[in-house]
Amino acid sequence: MKQIKTDLLLNLLKADSADYKNLETKEYTTPQKKQVIRSLMNIRMPGGLSGALLSAQDDYLRQEREEKGVVTLAEIPTLREQFGGQTTLADKLSLWKGDITRLQAGAIVNAANSQMLGCFIPCHRCIDNAIHSAAGMQLREACSHIMQEKRMRYGRQYEEPVGTATLTKAYNLPCGYVIHTVGPIVYGTLTDALKEDLRRCYESVLNCCAENGIRSVAFCCISTGEFHFPNEEAAQIAVKAVTDFLGTHADTMERVIFNVFKDSDREIYEELLRTLAADM
């Protein structure tokens, strides 16, 4: 059954593509076929999704989700459980290392680019690509619709500014919603303006949660990696922005998760949160 779902989606994606409809994949291994599936999803422009293609994709992605496994909030220790801390805040914060697309939180945060359509580079390792690939092609459709509406209001050259928060459904992800935010890009010197831009990303996402009744959210490491924001400074800004928000809006959130994927980021957050817990 697994192979049938994989082959069906692969063949439908090839038929849907003008450039790759004749790609010969009969001799491909299953991992190779899955890589082609993700690549064809990544490069597909929004528009014209057939019901058959969406149905095959959703069946395939549900299977992928089951194989990866869903992680619930109950499985992630709080700051109190991990590092100590005796205040209410210690029960609302968590650090978790792993694949953010596995989290069954109220929302997960996507570090988007200003075009807001996801990453078009096949199988790229950025968080934008990972989230769109696991959510399915509907997510690009939804983001495209939002951007079309904004371009009708603000002009054809409109790009999403840094520091906003845009809410979409999560589609095939186990979370409730995806919140997209465009972080600042560091080209050279890290300035106070860039730090403020990153702080606004976290504040906007948390305000979006409060406005939409979303009680738990998982933050990726916004602007690090491809956007070159120094990891340690980014983590300091993230922790301060979240704790400042919870200091005045604690009743709006049950859990805020700092999600990391690299050991180096885990070590940075562990040090910051251990110090924070000691002060609680």
Side-chain angles (χ1 to χ4, degrees):
M1 181 61 71
K2 292 179 180 180
Q3 190 60 54
I4 291 173
K5 290 181 179 180
T6 300
D7 289 342
L8 175 60
L9 178 56
L10 176 57
N11 289 331
L12 286 172
L13 283 167
K14 285 163 56 179
D16 178 71
S17 172
D19 294 328
Y20 296 98
K21 62 176 59 179
N22 296 319
L23 179 65
E24 184 53 65
T25 57
K26 287 183 180 179
E27 302 302 320
Y28 281 22
T29 64
T30 297
Q32 287 173 327
K33 290 178 179 180
K34 289 185 175 185
Q35 188 172 34
V36 174
I37 285 172
R38 179 166 175 174
S39 297
L40 291 175
M41 290 170 61
N42 291 162
I43 65 175
R44 192 186 189 282
M45 296 298 292
L49 283 169
S50 71
L53 179 55
L54 280 180
S55 178
Q57 175 213 248
D58 291 348
D59 284 345
Y60 172 83
L61 290 178
R62 279 193 291 268
Q63 175 181 289
E64 291 290 290
R65 184 177 67 197
E66 290 173 5
E67 289 180 357
K68 288 194 298 184
V70 173
V71 178
T72 67
L73 294 184
E75 298 175 75
I76 301 175
T78 65
L79 192 62
R80 183 195 296 269
E81 294 166 334
Q82 193 168 6
F83 301 117
Q86 302 301 315
T87 67
T88 302
L89 188 62
D91 294 320
K92 293 180 179 289
L93 296 175
S94 292
L95 170 64
W96 184 73
K97 178 180 178 290
D99 180 356
I100 198 171
T101 67
R102 297 176 59 202
L103 290 178
Q104 196 176 58
I108 63 172
V109 177
N110 179 32
N113 58 53
S114 61
Q115 298 299 312
M116 286 284 290
L117 295 180
C119 172
F120 284 87
I121 302 173
C123 299
H124 195 243
R125 292 179 61 84
C126 69
I127 191 71
D128 200 10
N129 189 295
I131 288 174
H132 273 263
S133 296
M137 293 177 285
Q138 300 100 313
L139 185 55
R140 180 167 285 167
E141 294 287 319
C143 290
S144 176
H145 181 70
I146 290 169
M147 290 299 285
Q148 287 174 5
E149 289 187 337
K150 289 187 176 183
R151 284 174 178 148
M152 288 178 64
R153 279 183 283 166
Y154 305 124
R156 295 176 61 184
Q157 303 304 314
Y158 175 85
E159 295 185 1
E160 190 68 17
V162 169
T164 62
T166 301
L167 184 71
T168 66
K169 293 179 181 179
Y171 302 101
N172 290 288
L173 291 162
C175 58
Y177 297 93
V178 179
I179 303 177
H180 309 260
T181 188
V182 181
I185 302 174
V186 179
Y187 291 106
T189 303
L190 180 62
T191 64
D192 288 341
L194 290 168
K195 293 178 182 178
E196 174 60 18
D197 284 342
L198 184 59
R199 187 200 65 78
R200 283 193 295 110
C201 288
Y202 285 91
E203 184 179 68
S204 295
V205 168
L206 291 165
N207 281 326
C208 179
C209 289
E211 291 164 5
N212 290 278
I214 298 169
R215 303 282 292 173
S216 60
V217 62
F219 281 101
C220 62
C221 299
I222 303 167
S223 277
T224 59
E226 296 294 319
F227 283 16
H228 308 300
F229 207 105
N231 296 59
E232 188 163 352
E233 287 85 347
Q236 292 169 355
I237 291 167
V239 171
K240 188 174 190 311
V242 168
T243 53
D244 284 351
F245 181 88
L246 292 178
T248 55
H249 301 81
D251 59 329
T252 67
M253 299 298 297
E254 293 176 359
R255 189 81 70 87
V256 177
I257 300 165
F258 298 108
N259 168 250
V260 300
F261 198 69
K262 298 177 181 178
D263 283 331
S264 56
D265 285 316
R266 177 184 54 78
E267 291 168 1
I268 291 169
Y269 273 95
E270 278 184 350
E271 182 176 350
L272 289 170
L273 294 174
R274 188 178 288 108
T275 301
L276 180 64
D279 293 334
M280 290 178 173

